Every structure is written in C-alpha cells, then in structure tokens.
Amino acid sequence: MSSSNAYENAMQQFDAAVKILGLNSDQQAMIKDPRKVIQLMLPVRMDDGSIKVFQAYRVQHSIARGPAKGGIRFHQDVTLDEVKALAFWMTMKCSVVNVPFGGGKGGVIVDPKQLSMNELERLSRRYIADLIEDIGPDRDVPAPDVNTNPQVMAWMMDTYSMHHRQHLPAVITGKPLEVCGSEGRGAATAQGVVFTLEEATKALNMKLQGATVAIQGFGNAGSHAARLLAPKGIKLVAISDVSGAYYCESGIDIEGALSWVKDHKGVLSGFEKSGNVRKLDNPMELLELPVDVLIPAALENQITEKNASRVKAKVIAEAANGPCTPEADKILNEKGVFMIPDILCNAGGVTVSYFEWVQNRMGFYWPEEQVNRELDRIMRQAFKDVFSASQKHRIPMRIAAFVVAIERLKKTSELRGLYA
Ligand code: NAD
C-alpha cells in the first residue's frame, strides 16, 4: 500500500469512530495526532571501512495510557507516513486489549538483506544509541517488526543497558528467552487469533469443530494459527506463502505442512507433491474459496474492491495488519461477512509483549501455561468489549474496535487533564 494511503486510512477509521462517540474537537485533539515524531540520520561503519548514512524514524503516537509501545521495521520502503499510521494503530491496539501502553513505531530505511551480520548489529545499536533519551521502560518500549528479530532486540537491549550501566531488559520486548524474553511470545499472535475466533464462532452460533479454514501466509502468525487450530477439529483446506497456494478439499495434513516448511527452508515450495494437495494456478484464489473461516496472515491490502465481492468466507480473522482495504470493508460488510479486525485479532503479540515487560520489571518469570492463561483472559474480554460495542451502536466490528479504543483514551485524557 502506498504509505500516504496507510495514514489516510488510519485517519478515516479515527473519524468514523469519533462520529459514533460524538467527540468534540478538543477531545479529538488530545488523541488524534502523534505526540512525538523523531527523524534520525544514522551513520554506520560498513565492513569495507566506508560510512553509510541511514534515514530512520521513531514515532510516539500516544503516551496517555502508558509508555509508547511498538515495533521497529527495517525495510527499504519505510516512509514517515507509514510509521505514523503504524504508531496510531499500536495506540488503538493496546487500548482495545486494555494493556497499559500507548502506541509507537520505528522504522529504518534499509534493505537488511544487503547488510552483513556485523553491519546489521552496528545499525541496530546506533539506532538505539541515537534514541537513548527518548526510549526507556517508562517512556517508549520498542519490539520487533518486519525484518527485525529477537537477535536485533538483544543487541538493542544491550546497547541501552550498557549506556545506563544497568541491566534494563524492560526497555525492549520480543527478546530471546535467554535474554529475559517471555515464554509463549513466538505463538502469541496466533494464540490470540484462535481465542478471538473461538469467541466469534460462539457469538455467531457457529461450530469451530468441522469448520473449513483457509490461511494466507504460513509464517509466524499463519503457521502457528494452523497448528493451534488443528486440535479444535477444523478442516484446513488451503494454505499459501510466497511460493504459491495449496488446496486440498479433504483437508491438509497440518503436521505435514509444518514439517514440510521446516525441511524446505521455511517455505511451502513443492508441497503439492505431498498427498492429494493441488497447487492453485492463481494464489489469490485462496481468498475466494468457499470456506467458513478465512485467515489472512501475510500482507496488507489483499482483499480490495476488486475481489471482496467474491469472498465466500463467513468469518475473516485478520491475523495480518491491514489485509482488507476500506473499500473492501464496505463490500464485505454489506455481504454480512463477520470481521475480527486486525487491531483486535492480532493483538495477542503485543499482549504477551506486555507480559514480557511485566516479568522484566518483577524479575520473576512465568511458565508458558500462565502466559497463555492471562492471554486467554485478555483476548476474550477484548472480543466481548468490541462485540458489545458493535451490537450497541449497530456498527461493524472494525469501527467498534476503534470506538472501544478511543473511548478508553478519551476517559484517560479527561482524567489526566492537560499539563502546563
Ligand atoms: P512472517 O514473515 O513470519 O510470515 C509471512 C508469511 O506470508 C510467509 O509465509 C510469507 O511467505 C507469506 N507471504 C508473503 N507474501 C505472500 C503473498 N503474496 N501471498 C501469500 N503469502 C505471502 O510474518 P508474520 O510475523 O507471520 O506476520 C504476518 C502478518 O501478521 C503481518 O501483517 C504482520 O504485521 C502481522 N502480525 C504479526 C505479528 C507477530 O507477532 N508475528 C503480530 C501482529 C501482526
């Protein structure tokens, strides 16, 4: 999606929810715009001895409900508008699940595939070094996003801690387990998808047992979702990734697909050779299959005004961020498709990030079972809050999620008042 569209879309969503809530211009002003936008030029020593300068951003959209919270993206197409939109959505996401964080996001314009490990480490450390006054366990807590991973988080946490001459793991979440990470973080997003999907099927009087499911994307969110849904008795009829889409009417062997990916460098390439799986000529067909549940878990802007009318799923669970455009949303809504919107559906990741932050501050670490128990409680409650707002105001689930989030932000900002 073009970055300006991302920010425009975000602002349209804000306006739609604000209309329902009847917020006046002062109330809107306290919530809408980012509180701090930081632009950086990061000089980094390359392996050949030369210096390269990378443009980078950190946007703190909100610090009303707690420290800013959100990932850092390393990508050649990062723009400030995109980072602003993502930071806004983090504020909304944290508020929907009612965890005590605001929203933020970071980005560096870089294609990390072009960097050596040493260059990547120097860039990651420099990014944090230049933000040393702006981040912190009580200020702004970054995490991984596209092309950043637990190793990058470990370097960033180390840089911050070394600078302060203290062990400060709560400055960053998404760290490896050995560096004060949390149990359950890897599958947290998918686990949250499953909890909200269970609640949705209950609300719709549908059974998950025997329901047909298609999943677009078989990475972290998609593959864990498949694994966690298997014991619920679903019939997974289609999966896809960058290599293509794979269909099996009688149901894909989920364990088989997971081990295929493990044995084939993380991709499904060649999976049609297993069992009676068929590779679809056009991978986008997956989105139009006659299934009960569709889980987009890959990229943004997959369901648009071009294909929305052909979507046959009864429920869409948005594991990915922004997989449906606003135009598609309208069409899907008119068709009566039940939407579990991204800021609710995939909030399991940030919720377990919150647990990681809590554990870091306590210095006491929970077993995975406890992480999942707390996640279960938070995700199901968030679903109920959004569903009842949707019933109360007779609005689609997506707008309802923004209504719940913005209402909480409004109350907080009224109670806190305006400083100075
Ligand atoms: P990932 O990189 O682990 O996996 C992405 C998957 O999508 C891969 O299997 C990739 O091959 C596939 N893919 C890429 N292009 C595709 C295409 N054109 N068609 C079909 N599949 C394609 O990423 P992830 O962490 O699983 O994230 C997926 C989505 O979920 C993103 O939108 C991300 O923002 C969102 N999300 C992830 C988390 C998390 O904790 N991982 C949290 C919140 C939201």
Side-chain angles (χ1 to χ4, degrees), residues 365-394:
Y365 288 83
W366 307 349
E368 189 171 359
E369 182 206 17
Q370 186 177 350
V371 170
N372 287 333
R373 196 168 58 237
E374 298 292 343
L375 180 63
D376 181 310
R377 180 179 61 79
I378 287 184
M379 294 305 296
R380 290 187 201 278
Q381 185 59 50
F383 180 90
K384 285 175 188 151
D385 293 343
V386 173
F387 187 63
S388 73
S390 141
Q391 302 276 83
K392 179 179 163 197
H393 299 288
R394 296 172 184 276

PDB file of all heavy atoms in Angstrom, residues 365-394:
ATOM      1  N   TYR A 365       9.789 -14.859  36.350  1.00  0.00           N
ATOM      2  CA  TYR A 365       9.370 -15.314  35.022  1.00  0.00           C
ATOM      3  C   TYR A 365       8.306 -16.399  35.092  1.00  0.00           C
ATOM      4  O   TYR A 365       8.396 -17.315  35.896  1.00  0.00           O
ATOM      5  CB  TYR A 365      10.616 -15.743  34.237  1.00  0.00           C
ATOM      6  CG  TYR A 365      11.396 -14.493  33.869  1.00  0.00           C
ATOM      7  CD1 TYR A 365      12.270 -13.905  34.782  1.00  0.00           C
ATOM      8  CD2 TYR A 365      11.161 -13.837  32.672  1.00  0.00           C
ATOM      9  CE1 TYR A 365      12.916 -12.709  34.486  1.00  0.00           C
ATOM     10  CE2 TYR A 365      11.808 -12.645  32.373  1.00  0.00           C
ATOM     11  CZ  TYR A 365      12.672 -12.091  33.281  1.00  0.00           C
ATOM     12  OH  TYR A 365      13.292 -10.898  32.991  1.00  0.00           O
ATOM     13  N   TRP A 366       7.289 -16.230  34.248  1.00  0.00           N
ATOM     14  CA  TRP A 366       6.117 -17.107  34.284  1.00  0.00           C
ATOM     15  C   TRP A 366       6.316 -18.320  33.379  1.00  0.00           C
ATOM     16  O   TRP A 366       6.926 -18.203  32.299  1.00  0.00           O
ATOM     17  CB  TRP A 366       4.879 -16.386  33.748  1.00  0.00           C
ATOM     18  CG  TRP A 366       4.559 -15.073  34.357  1.00  0.00           C
ATOM     19  CD1 TRP A 366       5.114 -14.502  35.487  1.00  0.00           C
ATOM     20  CD2 TRP A 366       3.598 -14.125  33.868  1.00  0.00           C
ATOM     21  NE1 TRP A 366       4.553 -13.274  35.711  1.00  0.00           N
ATOM     22  CE2 TRP A 366       3.621 -13.011  34.745  1.00  0.00           C
ATOM     23  CE3 TRP A 366       2.712 -14.109  32.792  1.00  0.00           C
ATOM     24  CZ2 TRP A 366       2.803 -11.904  34.563  1.00  0.00           C
ATOM     25  CZ3 TRP A 366       1.894 -13.010  32.608  1.00  0.00           C
ATOM     26  CH2 TRP A 366       1.932 -11.921  33.484  1.00  0.00           C
ATOM     27  N   PRO A 367       5.724 -19.450  33.760  1.00  0.00           N
ATOM     28  CA  PRO A 367       5.705 -20.584  32.822  1.00  0.00           C
ATOM     29  C   PRO A 367       4.744 -20.281  31.661  1.00  0.00           C
ATOM     30  O   PRO A 367       3.850 -19.435  31.797  1.00  0.00           O
ATOM     31  CB  PRO A 367       5.182 -21.752  33.668  1.00  0.00           C
ATOM     32  CG  PRO A 367       4.504 -21.125  34.839  1.00  0.00           C
ATOM     33  CD  PRO A 367       5.080 -19.760  35.043  1.00  0.00           C
ATOM     34  N   GLU A 368       4.919 -20.980  30.557  1.00  0.00           N
ATOM     35  CA  GLU A 368       4.108 -20.731  29.362  1.00  0.00           C
ATOM     36  C   GLU A 368       2.609 -20.844  29.650  1.00  0.00           C
ATOM     37  O   GLU A 368       1.797 -20.074  29.134  1.00  0.00           O
ATOM     38  CB  GLU A 368       4.504 -21.725  28.256  1.00  0.00           C
ATOM     39  CG  GLU A 368       3.855 -21.389  26.928  1.00  0.00           C
ATOM     40  CD  GLU A 368       4.385 -22.223  25.779  1.00  0.00           C
ATOM     41  OE1 GLU A 368       5.271 -23.062  26.016  1.00  0.00           O
ATOM     42  OE2 GLU A 368       3.898 -22.030  24.655  1.00  0.00           O
ATOM     43  N   GLU A 369       2.287 -21.783  30.509  1.00  0.00           N
ATOM     44  CA  GLU A 369       0.885 -22.015  30.851  1.00  0.00           C
ATOM     45  C   GLU A 369       0.251 -20.748  31.448  1.00  0.00           C
ATOM     46  O   GLU A 369      -0.887 -20.391  31.128  1.00  0.00           O
ATOM     47  CB  GLU A 369       0.879 -23.167  31.865  1.00  0.00           C
ATOM     48  CG  GLU A 369      -0.450 -23.609  32.327  1.00  0.00           C
ATOM     49  CD  GLU A 369      -0.338 -24.250  33.710  1.00  0.00           C
ATOM     50  OE1 GLU A 369       0.686 -24.066  34.409  1.00  0.00           O
ATOM     51  OE2 GLU A 369      -1.307 -24.915  34.070  1.00  0.00           O
ATOM     52  N   GLN A 370       1.020 -20.055  32.286  1.00  0.00           N
ATOM     53  CA  GLN A 370       0.498 -18.826  32.898  1.00  0.00           C
ATOM     54  C   GLN A 370       0.352 -17.711  31.856  1.00  0.00           C
ATOM     55  O   GLN A 370      -0.632 -16.966  31.854  1.00  0.00           O
ATOM     56  CB  GLN A 370       1.433 -18.378  34.033  1.00  0.00           C
ATOM     57  CG  GLN A 370       0.867 -17.201  34.809  1.00  0.00           C
ATOM     58  CD  GLN A 370       1.757 -16.789  35.975  1.00  0.00           C
ATOM     59  OE1 GLN A 370       2.709 -17.504  36.323  1.00  0.00           O
ATOM     60  NE2 GLN A 370       1.469 -15.658  36.576  1.00  0.00           N
ATOM     61  N   VAL A 371       1.335 -17.627  30.958  1.00  0.00           N
ATOM     62  CA  VAL A 371       1.269 -16.628  29.879  1.00  0.00           C
ATOM     63  C   VAL A 371      -0.023 -16.842  29.079  1.00  0.00           C
ATOM     64  O   VAL A 371      -0.791 -15.906  28.839  1.00  0.00           O
ATOM     65  CB  VAL A 371       2.505 -16.743  28.953  1.00  0.00           C
ATOM     66  CG1 VAL A 371       2.344 -15.890  27.704  1.00  0.00           C
ATOM     67  CG2 VAL A 371       3.777 -16.359  29.705  1.00  0.00           C
ATOM     68  N   ASN A 372      -0.276 -18.101  28.715  1.00  0.00           N
ATOM     69  CA  ASN A 372      -1.448 -18.375  27.882  1.00  0.00           C
ATOM     70  C   ASN A 372      -2.758 -18.176  28.633  1.00  0.00           C
ATOM     71  O   ASN A 372      -3.759 -17.773  28.051  1.00  0.00           O
ATOM     72  CB  ASN A 372      -1.363 -19.780  27.283  1.00  0.00           C
ATOM     73  CG  ASN A 372      -0.315 -19.832  26.181  1.00  0.00           C
ATOM     74  OD1 ASN A 372      -0.026 -18.811  25.542  1.00  0.00           O
ATOM     75  ND2 ASN A 372       0.278 -20.985  25.966  1.00  0.00           N
ATOM     76  N   ARG A 373      -2.720 -18.444  29.932  1.00  0.00           N
ATOM     77  CA  ARG A 373      -3.939 -18.241  30.740  1.00  0.00           C
ATOM     78  C   ARG A 373      -4.299 -16.748  30.783  1.00  0.00           C
ATOM     79  O   ARG A 373      -5.440 -16.354  30.587  1.00  0.00           O
ATOM     80  CB  ARG A 373      -3.688 -18.781  32.147  1.00  0.00           C
ATOM     81  CG  ARG A 373      -4.957 -18.994  32.943  1.00  0.00           C
ATOM     82  CD  ARG A 373      -4.727 -19.795  34.211  1.00  0.00           C
ATOM     83  NE  ARG A 373      -3.750 -19.192  35.096  1.00  0.00           N
ATOM     84  CZ  ARG A 373      -2.633 -19.804  35.523  1.00  0.00           C
ATOM     85  NH1 ARG A 373      -2.351 -21.016  35.124  1.00  0.00           N
ATOM     86  NH2 ARG A 373      -1.805 -19.187  36.351  1.00  0.00           N
ATOM     87  N   GLU A 374      -3.284 -15.910  31.012  1.00  0.00           N
ATOM     88  CA  GLU A 374      -3.533 -14.460  31.069  1.00  0.00           C
ATOM     89  C   GLU A 374      -3.932 -13.924  29.693  1.00  0.00           C
ATOM     90  O   GLU A 374      -4.784 -13.043  29.578  1.00  0.00           O
ATOM     91  CB  GLU A 374      -2.289 -13.718  31.573  1.00  0.00           C
ATOM     92  CG  GLU A 374      -1.855 -14.084  32.982  1.00  0.00           C
ATOM     93  CD  GLU A 374      -2.837 -13.621  34.054  1.00  0.00           C
ATOM     94  OE1 GLU A 374      -3.672 -12.756  33.774  1.00  0.00           O
ATOM     95  OE2 GLU A 374      -2.763 -14.159  35.176  1.00  0.00           O
ATOM     96  N   LEU A 375      -3.301 -14.466  28.660  1.00  0.00           N
ATOM     97  CA  LEU A 375      -3.621 -14.031  27.288  1.00  0.00           C
ATOM     98  C   LEU A 375      -5.072 -14.393  26.943  1.00  0.00           C
ATOM     99  O   LEU A 375      -5.803 -13.590  26.356  1.00  0.00           O
ATOM    100  CB  LEU A 375      -2.653 -14.709  26.301  1.00  0.00           C
ATOM    101  CG  LEU A 375      -2.848 -14.370  24.837  1.00  0.00           C
ATOM    102  CD1 LEU A 375      -2.614 -12.893  24.570  1.00  0.00           C
ATOM    103  CD2 LEU A 375      -1.895 -15.203  23.955  1.00  0.00           C
ATOM    104  N   ASP A 376      -5.466 -15.582  27.325  1.00  0.00           N
ATOM    105  CA  ASP A 376      -6.827 -16.070  27.103  1.00  0.00           C
ATOM    106  C   ASP A 376      -7.824 -15.066  27.705  1.00  0.00           C
ATOM    107  O   ASP A 376      -8.757 -14.597  27.042  1.00  0.00           O
ATOM    108  CB  ASP A 376      -6.935 -17.457  27.782  1.00  0.00           C
ATOM    109  CG  ASP A 376      -8.285 -18.108  27.606  1.00  0.00           C
ATOM    110  OD1 ASP A 376      -9.293 -17.436  27.873  1.00  0.00           O
ATOM    111  OD2 ASP A 376      -8.341 -19.291  27.219  1.00  0.00           O
ATOM    112  N   ARG A 377      -7.587 -14.704  28.946  1.00  0.00           N
ATOM    113  CA  ARG A 377      -8.499 -13.788  29.656  1.00  0.00           C
ATOM    114  C   ARG A 377      -8.584 -12.438  28.931  1.00  0.00           C
ATOM    115  O   ARG A 377      -9.665 -11.933  28.658  1.00  0.00           O
ATOM    116  CB  ARG A 377      -7.958 -13.604  31.084  1.00  0.00           C
ATOM    117  CG  ARG A 377      -8.755 -12.686  31.973  1.00  0.00           C
ATOM    118  CD  ARG A 377      -8.125 -12.616  33.365  1.00  0.00           C
ATOM    119  NE  ARG A 377      -6.759 -12.097  33.382  1.00  0.00           N
ATOM    120  CZ  ARG A 377      -6.437 -10.813  33.304  1.00  0.00           C
ATOM    121  NH1 ARG A 377      -7.377  -9.912  33.176  1.00  0.00           N
ATOM    122  NH2 ARG A 377      -5.166 -10.414  33.335  1.00  0.00           N
ATOM    123  N   ILE A 378      -7.435 -11.886  28.586  1.00  0.00           N
ATOM    124  CA  ILE A 378      -7.414 -10.548  27.980  1.00  0.00           C
ATOM    125  C   ILE A 378      -8.051 -10.558  26.589  1.00  0.00           C
ATOM    126  O   ILE A 378      -8.852  -9.688  26.248  1.00  0.00           O
ATOM    127  CB  ILE A 378      -5.964 -10.013  27.953  1.00  0.00           C
ATOM    128  CG1 ILE A 378      -5.557  -9.635  29.376  1.00  0.00           C
ATOM    129  CG2 ILE A 378      -5.816  -8.823  26.988  1.00  0.00           C
ATOM    130  CD1 ILE A 378      -4.194  -9.007  29.525  1.00  0.00           C
ATOM    131  N   MET A 379      -7.710 -11.547  25.780  1.00  0.00           N
ATOM    132  CA  MET A 379      -8.229 -11.574  24.399  1.00  0.00           C
ATOM    133  C   MET A 379      -9.741 -11.802  24.372  1.00  0.00           C
ATOM    134  O   MET A 379     -10.456 -11.173  23.598  1.00  0.00           O
ATOM    135  CB  MET A 379      -7.525 -12.655  23.565  1.00  0.00           C
ATOM    136  CG  MET A 379      -6.058 -12.421  23.313  1.00  0.00           C
ATOM    137  SD  MET A 379      -5.636 -10.841  22.545  1.00  0.00           S
ATOM    138  CE  MET A 379      -6.420 -10.953  20.957  1.00  0.00           C
ATOM    139  N   ARG A 380     -10.219 -12.707  25.204  1.00  0.00           N
ATOM    140  CA  ARG A 380     -11.671 -12.975  25.193  1.00  0.00           C
ATOM    141  C   ARG A 380     -12.440 -11.755  25.706  1.00  0.00           C
ATOM    142  O   ARG A 380     -13.499 -11.417  25.187  1.00  0.00           O
ATOM    143  CB  ARG A 380     -11.997 -14.226  26.025  1.00  0.00           C
ATOM    144  CG  ARG A 380     -11.515 -15.505  25.364  1.00  0.00           C
ATOM    145  CD  ARG A 380     -11.993 -16.737  26.120  1.00  0.00           C
ATOM    146  NE  ARG A 380     -11.159 -17.887  25.815  1.00  0.00           N
ATOM    147  CZ  ARG A 380     -11.282 -18.664  24.747  1.00  0.00           C
ATOM    148  NH1 ARG A 380     -12.217 -18.428  23.858  1.00  0.00           N
ATOM    149  NH2 ARG A 380     -10.471 -19.692  24.546  1.00  0.00           N
ATOM    150  N   GLN A 381     -11.893 -11.087  26.723  1.00  0.00           N
ATOM    151  CA  GLN A 381     -12.559  -9.884  27.235  1.00  0.00           C
ATOM    152  C   GLN A 381     -12.580  -8.797  26.151  1.00  0.00           C
ATOM    153  O   GLN A 381     -13.594  -8.126  25.947  1.00  0.00           O
ATOM    154  CB  GLN A 381     -11.828  -9.369  28.489  1.00  0.00           C
ATOM    155  CG  GLN A 381     -12.530  -8.196  29.146  1.00  0.00           C
ATOM    156  CD  GLN A 381     -13.964  -8.536  29.576  1.00  0.00           C
ATOM    157  OE1 GLN A 381     -14.191  -9.547  30.237  1.00  0.00           O
ATOM    158  NE2 GLN A 381     -14.925  -7.723  29.157  1.00  0.00           N
ATOM    159  N   ALA A 382     -11.465  -8.654  25.440  1.00  0.00           N
ATOM    160  CA  ALA A 382     -11.389  -7.634  24.384  1.00  0.00           C
ATOM    161  C   ALA A 382     -12.423  -7.939  23.298  1.00  0.00           C
ATOM    162  O   ALA A 382     -13.112  -7.038  22.803  1.00  0.00           O
ATOM    163  CB  ALA A 382      -9.983  -7.590  23.789  1.00  0.00           C
ATOM    164  N   PHE A 383     -12.535  -9.215  22.939  1.00  0.00           N
ATOM    165  CA  PHE A 383     -13.539  -9.573  21.928  1.00  0.00           C
ATOM    166  C   PHE A 383     -14.930  -9.171  22.418  1.00  0.00           C
ATOM    167  O   PHE A 383     -15.716  -8.561  21.686  1.00  0.00           O
ATOM    168  CB  PHE A 383     -13.511 -11.084  21.602  1.00  0.00           C
ATOM    169  CG  PHE A 383     -14.548 -11.438  20.571  1.00  0.00           C
ATOM    170  CD1 PHE A 383     -14.237 -11.399  19.219  1.00  0.00           C
ATOM    171  CD2 PHE A 383     -15.862 -11.721  20.939  1.00  0.00           C
ATOM    172  CE1 PHE A 383     -15.216 -11.653  18.256  1.00  0.00           C
ATOM    173  CE2 PHE A 383     -16.841 -11.972  19.989  1.00  0.00           C
ATOM    174  CZ  PHE A 383     -16.510 -11.949  18.648  1.00  0.00           C
ATOM    175  N   LYS A 384     -15.218  -9.515  23.668  1.00  0.00           N
ATOM    176  CA  LYS A 384     -16.560  -9.216  24.207  1.00  0.00           C
ATOM    177  C   LYS A 384     -16.823  -7.712  24.212  1.00  0.00           C
ATOM    178  O   LYS A 384     -17.912  -7.269  23.875  1.00  0.00           O
ATOM    179  CB  LYS A 384     -16.702  -9.796  25.619  1.00  0.00           C
ATOM    180  CG  LYS A 384     -16.871 -11.309  25.580  1.00  0.00           C
ATOM    181  CD  LYS A 384     -16.892 -11.923  26.964  1.00  0.00           C
ATOM    182  CE  LYS A 384     -16.867 -13.450  26.826  1.00  0.00           C
ATOM    183  NZ  LYS A 384     -16.242 -14.111  27.956  1.00  0.00           N
ATOM    184  N   ASP A 385     -15.813  -6.924  24.582  1.00  0.00           N
ATOM    185  CA  ASP A 385     -15.979  -5.457  24.611  1.00  0.00           C
ATOM    186  C   ASP A 385     -16.290  -4.926  23.211  1.00  0.00           C
ATOM    187  O   ASP A 385     -17.172  -4.089  23.037  1.00  0.00           O
ATOM    188  CB  ASP A 385     -14.695  -4.781  25.118  1.00  0.00           C
ATOM    189  CG  ASP A 385     -14.424  -5.107  26.585  1.00  0.00           C
ATOM    190  OD1 ASP A 385     -15.348  -5.559  27.297  1.00  0.00           O
ATOM    191  OD2 ASP A 385     -13.263  -4.922  27.020  1.00  0.00           O
ATOM    192  N   VAL A 386     -15.564  -5.433  22.218  1.00  0.00           N
ATOM    193  CA  VAL A 386     -15.759  -4.933  20.850  1.00  0.00           C
ATOM    194  C   VAL A 386     -17.100  -5.424  20.306  1.00  0.00           C
ATOM    195  O   VAL A 386     -17.855  -4.650  19.703  1.00  0.00           O
ATOM    196  CB  VAL A 386     -14.591  -5.384  19.936  1.00  0.00           C
ATOM    197  CG1 VAL A 386     -14.863  -5.023  18.479  1.00  0.00           C
ATOM    198  CG2 VAL A 386     -13.278  -4.757  20.400  1.00  0.00           C
ATOM    199  N   PHE A 387     -17.415  -6.685  20.566  1.00  0.00           N
ATOM    200  CA  PHE A 387     -18.677  -7.236  20.063  1.00  0.00           C
ATOM    201  C   PHE A 387     -19.860  -6.480  20.670  1.00  0.00           C
ATOM    202  O   PHE A 387     -20.806  -6.123  19.968  1.00  0.00           O
ATOM    203  CB  PHE A 387     -18.756  -8.739  20.381  1.00  0.00           C
ATOM    204  CG  PHE A 387     -19.944  -9.417  19.765  1.00  0.00           C
ATOM    205  CD1 PHE A 387     -20.092  -9.486  18.382  1.00  0.00           C
ATOM    206  CD2 PHE A 387     -20.940  -9.974  20.561  1.00  0.00           C
ATOM    207  CE1 PHE A 387     -21.197 -10.106  17.800  1.00  0.00           C
ATOM    208  CE2 PHE A 387     -22.045 -10.591  19.990  1.00  0.00           C
ATOM    209  CZ  PHE A 387     -22.172 -10.660  18.606  1.00  0.00           C
ATOM    210  N   SER A 388     -19.788  -6.180  21.964  1.00  0.00           N
ATOM    211  CA  SER A 388     -20.943  -5.496  22.550  1.00  0.00           C
ATOM    212  C   SER A 388     -21.022  -4.046  22.065  1.00  0.00           C
ATOM    213  O   SER A 388     -22.132  -3.534  21.877  1.00  0.00           O
ATOM    214  CB  SER A 388     -21.011  -5.654  24.073  1.00  0.00           C
ATOM    215  OG  SER A 388     -20.037  -4.872  24.659  1.00  0.00           O
ATOM    216  N   ALA A 389     -19.893  -3.395  21.780  1.00  0.00           N
ATOM    217  CA  ALA A 389     -19.952  -2.040  21.195  1.00  0.00           C
ATOM    218  C   ALA A 389     -20.574  -2.114  19.800  1.00  0.00           C
ATOM    219  O   ALA A 389     -21.343  -1.234  19.395  1.00  0.00           O
ATOM    220  CB  ALA A 389     -18.557  -1.438  21.125  1.00  0.00           C
ATOM    221  N   SER A 390     -20.250  -3.173  19.083  1.00  0.00           N
ATOM    222  CA  SER A 390     -20.789  -3.328  17.729  1.00  0.00           C
ATOM    223  C   SER A 390     -22.311  -3.539  17.776  1.00  0.00           C
ATOM    224  O   SER A 390     -23.053  -2.999  16.962  1.00  0.00           O
ATOM    225  CB  SER A 390     -20.048  -4.481  17.043  1.00  0.00           C
ATOM    226  OG  SER A 390     -20.886  -5.244  16.261  1.00  0.00           O
ATOM    227  N   GLN A 391     -22.778  -4.298  18.782  1.00  0.00           N
ATOM    228  CA  GLN A 391     -24.224  -4.535  18.942  1.00  0.00           C
ATOM    229  C   GLN A 391     -24.927  -3.253  19.402  1.00  0.00           C
ATOM    230  O   GLN A 391     -25.962  -2.878  18.873  1.00  0.00           O
ATOM    231  CB  GLN A 391     -24.477  -5.617  20.018  1.00  0.00           C
ATOM    232  CG  GLN A 391     -23.816  -6.940  19.755  1.00  0.00           C
ATOM    233  CD  GLN A 391     -24.649  -7.804  18.828  1.00  0.00           C
ATOM    234  OE1 GLN A 391     -24.579  -7.654  17.619  1.00  0.00           O
ATOM    235  NE2 GLN A 391     -25.433  -8.700  19.386  1.00  0.00           N
ATOM    236  N   LYS A 392     -24.281  -2.601  20.382  1.00  0.00           N
ATOM    237  CA  LYS A 392     -24.901  -1.410  20.988  1.00  0.00           C
ATOM    238  C   LYS A 392     -25.098  -0.291  19.960  1.00  0.00           C
ATOM    239  O   LYS A 392     -26.166   0.317  19.881  1.00  0.00           O
ATOM    240  CB  LYS A 392     -23.994  -0.917  22.131  1.00  0.00           C
ATOM    241  CG  LYS A 392     -24.493   0.321  22.828  1.00  0.00           C
ATOM    242  CD  LYS A 392     -23.566   0.739  23.957  1.00  0.00           C
ATOM    243  CE  LYS A 392     -23.815   2.168  24.366  1.00  0.00           C
ATOM    244  NZ  LYS A 392     -22.713   2.719  25.158  1.00  0.00           N
ATOM    245  N   HIS A 393     -24.050  -0.025  19.171  1.00  0.00           N
ATOM    246  CA  HIS A 393     -24.130   1.091  18.211  1.00  0.00           C
ATOM    247  C   HIS A 393     -24.553   0.623  16.822  1.00  0.00           C
ATOM    248  O   HIS A 393     -24.628   1.430  15.902  1.00  0.00           O
ATOM    249  CB  HIS A 393     -22.767   1.791  18.097  1.00  0.00           C
ATOM    250  CG  HIS A 393     -22.271   2.390  19.374  1.00  0.00           C
ATOM    251  ND1 HIS A 393     -22.814   3.505  19.938  1.00  0.00           N
ATOM    252  CD2 HIS A 393     -21.261   2.017  20.211  1.00  0.00           C
ATOM    253  CE1 HIS A 393     -22.170   3.809  21.070  1.00  0.00           C
ATOM    254  NE2 HIS A 393     -21.225   2.916  21.249  1.00  0.00           N
ATOM    255  N   ARG A 394     -24.767  -0.677  16.655  1.00  0.00           N
ATOM    256  CA  ARG A 394     -25.100  -1.262  15.333  1.00  0.00           C
ATOM    257  C   ARG A 394     -24.068  -0.843  14.291  1.00  0.00           C
ATOM    258  O   ARG A 394     -24.385  -0.223  13.262  1.00  0.00           O
ATOM    259  CB  ARG A 394     -26.499  -0.822  14.881  1.00  0.00           C
ATOM    260  CG  ARG A 394     -27.578  -1.336  15.779  1.00  0.00           C
ATOM    261  CD  ARG A 394     -28.919  -0.729  15.412  1.00  0.00           C
ATOM    262  NE  ARG A 394     -29.948  -1.148  16.346  1.00  0.00           N
ATOM    263  CZ  ARG A 394     -30.626  -2.285  16.265  1.00  0.00           C
ATOM    264  NH1 ARG A 394     -30.418  -3.099  15.291  1.00  0.00           N
ATOM    265  NH2 ARG A 394     -31.531  -2.595  17.181  1.00  0.00           N
TER     266      ARG A 394
END
